[in-house]
Structures are given as C-alpha cells and as structure tokens.
Amino acid sequence: MTTHIVGDHAGWNLPSCQEFYEDWAKKRTFAIGDILLFKYNPGLNTVVQVNKEDYECCTTKNTIHTYFDGNTAFTLDKAGEYFFYSSVGRHCEAGLKLRVTVPQGKHPSH
C-alpha cells in the first residue's frame, strides 16, 4: 500500500498549468489499496468524486461524494478509473482535477 500525496508539495490547489495533475498522475502507478491524500485548506477547495462525464465537463450531475475537511484520504478500493475535481468557483476548468486508473490485477504491495 502506498500513500500518494496528490500534487506532491503543491498539494490540492490551483495549478500553474491545466495539465499539472494529469502529468502528476501519469508519473505514478496506482494499485488497489493505495491511498490518495488531498492536502488543501478547508473553505478554499473541495474534493468531489464524480463520474467520467462530470469530470470532463466540470459538472455535478452525478456526484459520488464531496469532501471539504481539508485533508482528504481516499482509498482506491477496486480496479478502474476514479475522477475528482474541486467544485469551488471555476477551479475544475482551471485544471484542479484528477483522473486515476487502477489496473486489474494490481494488488497492494507490502
């Protein structure tokens, strides 16, 4: 099991470029049981788990869960794609969004 601090030192904040979090995720391998740790200030950002359509359009038609406590730990409990973004203002459109893929057969490492 690995804990991934989303955005590393930048945390979960408005990125310097729209591809920041996409590039961050591309450099990592995710497995079932891994944890995504979103570090942000409560009131300044949120973490919203959504489906692919909402992720691509920055809409909230099919919100799965919303987190707003400031340090959100999310466990990747099954294979598949996960989609997250910040619902504050136009943060999603500015690139504060993350897609993570957990491949089949990737089980926790000890």
Side-chain angles (χ1 to χ4, degrees):
M1 175 179 73
T2 302
T3 297
H4 304 273
I5 298 173
V6 177
D8 295 323
H9 299 296
W12 183 244
N13 293 294
L14 276 177
S16 53
C17 68
Q18 278 195 315
E19 297 80 26
F20 179 84
Y21 291 98
E22 183 181 329
D23 291 345
W24 177 87
K26 282 180 185 173
K27 297 174 189 168
R28 283 155 184 77
T29 301
F30 301 98
I32 296 167
D34 282 2
I35 296 170
L36 298 177
L37 180 58
F38 295 85
K39 290 186 166 190
Y40 58 99
N41 291 320
L44 296 180
N45 275 314
T46 61
V47 177
V48 182
Q49 184 184 7
V50 293
N51 67 9
K52 185 176 183 177
E53 180 185 345
D54 278 348
Y55 173 84
E56 291 175 349
C57 300
C58 292
T59 54
T60 54
K61 295 176 188 169
N62 298 290
T63 300
I64 298 167
H65 199 82
T66 301
Y67 305 91
F68 46 84
D69 61 1
N71 281 317
T72 299
F74 182 88
T75 301
L76 302 169
D77 59 359
K78 62 182 187 284
E81 287 188 304
Y82 294 83
F83 303 92
F84 305 93
Y85 67 69
S86 172
S87 63
V88 174
R90 298 189 59 78
H91 287 187
C92 178
E93 291 84 349
L96 190 48
K97 56 197 291 188
L98 175 69
R99 173 196 319 232
V100 168
T101 302
V102 177
Q104 285 286 87
K106 286 275 186 180
H107 293 286
S109 53
H110 298 285

